[in-house]
Amino acid sequence: MPTEVVMPQMGESIAEGTIVRWIKKVGDEVDRDEPLFEISTDKVDAEIPSPAAGVLTEIKVKEGETVPVNEVVAMIGEAGTAVATPPQTPPAPPQRAQGSTVVAISDAQQKRAGTPSPAGAPASPPRATEHAPLDEGRRQRSSPLVRRIAREHNVDVAAIHGSGLGGRVTKNDILGYVRNQESGSRKQEAGVRSQEESAVTAESSMPGPALISESRPLIPAPAARAPGDRVEPLSVMRRKIAEHMILSRRTSAHVHSVFHVNFSTIERIRQQQKAAYEQRGTKLTYMAFIAYAVNAALRRFPVVNASLDGENVVYKKDINIGIAVALESGLIVPVIKHADEKNLLGLSRAIADLAERARAKQLKPEDVQGGTFTITNPGQFGSQFGLPIINQPQVAILGVGMIERRPIVIDEAIAIRTMSYLTLGYDHRLIDGATGDQFMAEVKQQIEQFDASQV
């Protein structure tokens, strides 16, 4: 019996994925869990394993296409299944598509532009009987994420021309539509202000036509490209990260608190236990201690481990900590499931394993799903601290600055200690400043007074 291969959901808020390349081609034999194709989302680039052993009999989605999660992208038949070569059927001309509104829309556009229809034929008015089924179909062919964005911006999904399969409205379509609307509003406002400023200038200066003709452009011209400049399109992953970050900034009321934390106790423990951990097959890193401290703080302040669902607060039962991993193509966030149930050794092993598999593109769908809190570490590149953007639908994220020896004042004397700035970014819609600072005070205390018996 043939097995369906579907687009996996590579994250809680991910509604679609783009197939970057097919590792196998039609007719190839595949083993179960053997890499079959590579996808890209706003959270991860990953090779997707085959769900069954057999022969790849059909590929339904081409490279570069974006499809919703759980959509069938290929079929795997039993070993020895013959693969028929599909007939090369030329595509049907667009004007013959049944039930299409392309002609009606085109005619309407020609009328607005003052251009006659071909051969002088009168423009065909759009037919309501064709529009209604199409609009209803478009409403149905959109993901829950698209419909949520539409509700937030008071947009009718049916008004958007979908670029996905079968006219499906994708996240790119809805975000582009919203940007165009906002841009149009800004142009109108800027035009009004420009006219008012020109009128004031004309009244207070020497009159003359030159004053009006020298008005500033409403939108600055794009930067000129010099000879030798290299222009490259955004990668699928980079483009989706950009969309995800813009959506997060529009969704959450971001606030940040920065704490200066003494890592001297942890540094001493690391040096004492480093060799023992290496004998157990892992490294004892600062990140393991930080995750351990975050676990304790999340247990004490469960609202930081929650999420918002409309007008409801969802308090997560599990603590699943995402650890951001930097790649050449972007940033991905694999998740340590049930992080609060792991000791320091377990956290060290989990962090090392996820980071290694992320860089090798060997993460599985479940490895990037279900995160409830995220830690990102820009300090590894020398940053003193940052103001990270919340990883939706979570409500908080911890940024770790560079850990280094610095002079500080202790008991009226200057001392050298291992220090770092930790930054909590949190959603002020749910978390008050006092709660955010109390959470960070708990993390700080857990790190500075770490119990060596927990190693």
Side-chain angles (χ1 to χ4, degrees):
M1 183 175 180
T3 301
E4 293 182 341
V5 181
V6 301
M7 173 63 69
Q9 185 171 20
M10 300 294 286
E12 188 174 356
S13 60
I14 300 301
E16 60 192 14
T18 300
I19 293 185
V20 178
R21 69 184 178 101
W22 282 97
I23 300 172
K24 297 291 185 179
K25 61 181 183 295
V26 173
D28 286 352
E29 293 186 359
V30 295
D31 294 328
R32 181 180 176 86
D33 294 330
E34 183 179 5
L36 189 60
F37 60 98
E38 184 178 339
I39 71 168
S40 182
T41 72
D42 61 348
K43 288 191 176 182
V44 65
D45 279 353
E47 293 178 351
I48 304 304
S50 172
V55 176
L56 182 59
T57 58
E58 183 181 5
I59 291 178
K60 295 178 176 288
V61 178
K62 298 178 182 178
E63 293 180 353
E65 289 188 4
T66 300
V67 297
V69 298
N70 296 324
E71 180 161 317
V72 178
V73 299
M75 299 295 295
I76 294 177
E78 296 179 357
T81 302
V83 179
T85 303
Q88 299 296 325
T89 306
Q95 63 270 23
R96 295 182 183 178
Q98 187 175 3
S100 173
T101 60
V102 173
V103 174
I105 294 173
S106 176
D107 289 339
Q109 290 173 340
Q110 289 175 349
K111 288 183 67 177
R112 287 195 297 270
T115 305
S117 299
S124 301
R127 289 173 289 179
T129 55
E130 293 184 0
H131 251 298
L134 178 63
D135 289 347
E136 182 63 27
R138 282 182 183 167
R139 288 192 188 96
Q140 295 173 353
R141 290 195 291 271
S142 60
S143 67
L145 175 62
V146 168
R147 292 192 291 273
R148 180 170 65 81
I149 297 173
R151 287 195 300 270
E152 291 174 353
H153 295 275
N154 295 321
V155 172
D156 182 8
V157 177
I160 303 173
H161 178 72
S163 62
L165 295 178
R168 178 179 170 274
V169 178
T170 67
K171 185 171 67 173
N172 289 346
D173 297 331
I174 182 69
L175 291 177
Y177 187 88
V178 170
R179 282 195 295 269
N180 289 339
Q181 279 195 325
E182 293 177 349
S183 175
S185 299
R186 286 194 295 268
K187 285 182 182 179
Q188 273 191 320
E189 294 172 0
V192 172
R193 287 196 301 268
S194 179
Q195 291 176 0
E196 292 174 350
E197 292 171 0
S198 297
V200 172
T201 303
E203 291 176 0
S204 59
S205 306
M206 291 295 293
L211 287 173
I212 300 176
S213 64
E214 293 176 358
S215 60
R216 294 171 297 175
L218 299 179
I219 300 177
R225 297 174 182 173
D229 288 353
R230 187 175 75 253
V231 179
E232 295 180 356
L234 287 174
S235 67
V236 173
M237 185 178 187
R238 187 74 263 165
R239 186 171 66 249
K240 291 183 178 297
I241 288 175
E243 294 168 358
H244 195 61
M245 294 298 97
I246 291 173
L247 176 63
S248 180
R249 295 292 290 185
R250 287 175 174 169
T251 301
S252 296
H254 281 70
V255 178
H256 294 86
S257 295
V258 183
F259 275 58
H260 204 195
V261 181
N262 190 339
F263 278 75
S264 298
T265 298
I266 285 178
E267 174 59 18
R268 186 184 71 254
I269 296 173
R270 283 184 68 244
Q271 296 303 323
Q272 293 172 350
Q273 300 293 330
K274 182 166 58 175
Y277 269 63
E278 289 177 355
Q279 290 178 357
R280 298 180 184 182
T282 189
K283 292 183 178 180
L284 185 56
T285 63
Y286 290 115
M287 185 59 68
F289 287 94
I290 295 170
Y292 193 94
V294 165
N295 282 333
L298 289 175
R299 283 193 295 266
R300 183 174 174 188
F301 299 95
V303 69
V304 184
N305 195 54
S307 65
L308 280 170
D309 181 13
E311 296 182 355
N312 299 317
V313 182
V314 181
Y315 292 92
K316 304 294 185 177
K317 177 176 69 72
D318 300 325
I319 294 178
N320 301 328
I321 297 181
I323 305 293
V325 178
L327 305 176
E328 291 183 1
S329 57
L331 194 73
I332 59 178
V333 188
V335 178
I336 303 173
K337 299 295 178 59
H338 307 289
D340 57 322
E341 299 177 4
K342 299 183 184 296
N343 58 18
L344 198 64
L345 177 61
L347 290 171
S348 298
R349 287 174 171 166
I351 293 170
D353 171 64
L354 289 174
E356 181 180 349
R357 289 195 289 120
R359 296 186 178 102
K361 296 184 179 180
Q362 297 297 320
L363 291 175
K364 298 177 181 179
E366 57 267 24
D367 291 328
V368 292
Q369 294 177 356
T372 60
F373 185 89
T374 296
I375 303 175
T376 183
N377 183 22
Q380 62 183 312
F381 305 110
S383 174
Q384 292 293 302
F385 65 88
L387 304 177
I389 297 176
I390 297 168
N391 185 14
Q392 298 294 325
Q394 299 167 23
V395 294
I397 182 171
L398 182 72
V400 181
M402 184 177 183
I403 301 175
E404 61 181 353
R405 292 177 65 78
R406 299 175 190 151
I408 62 172
V409 176
I410 299 178
D411 297 332
E412 303 298 326
I414 296 177
I416 304 297
R417 295 291 185 269
T418 301
M419 306 293 295
S420 177
Y421 291 106
L422 300 185
T423 303
L424 181 71
Y426 53 97
D427 191 339
H428 211 352
R429 297 178 303 164
L430 181 61
I431 303 173
D432 292 330
T435 304
D437 288 347
Q438 288 169 353
F439 173 87
M440 285 301 293
E442 178 68 20
V443 172
K444 176 183 172 75
Q445 180 179 351
Q446 290 287 333
I447 290 174
E448 293 184 342
Q449 301 178 16
F450 194 88
D451 184 357
S453 66
Q454 300 298 321
V455 179

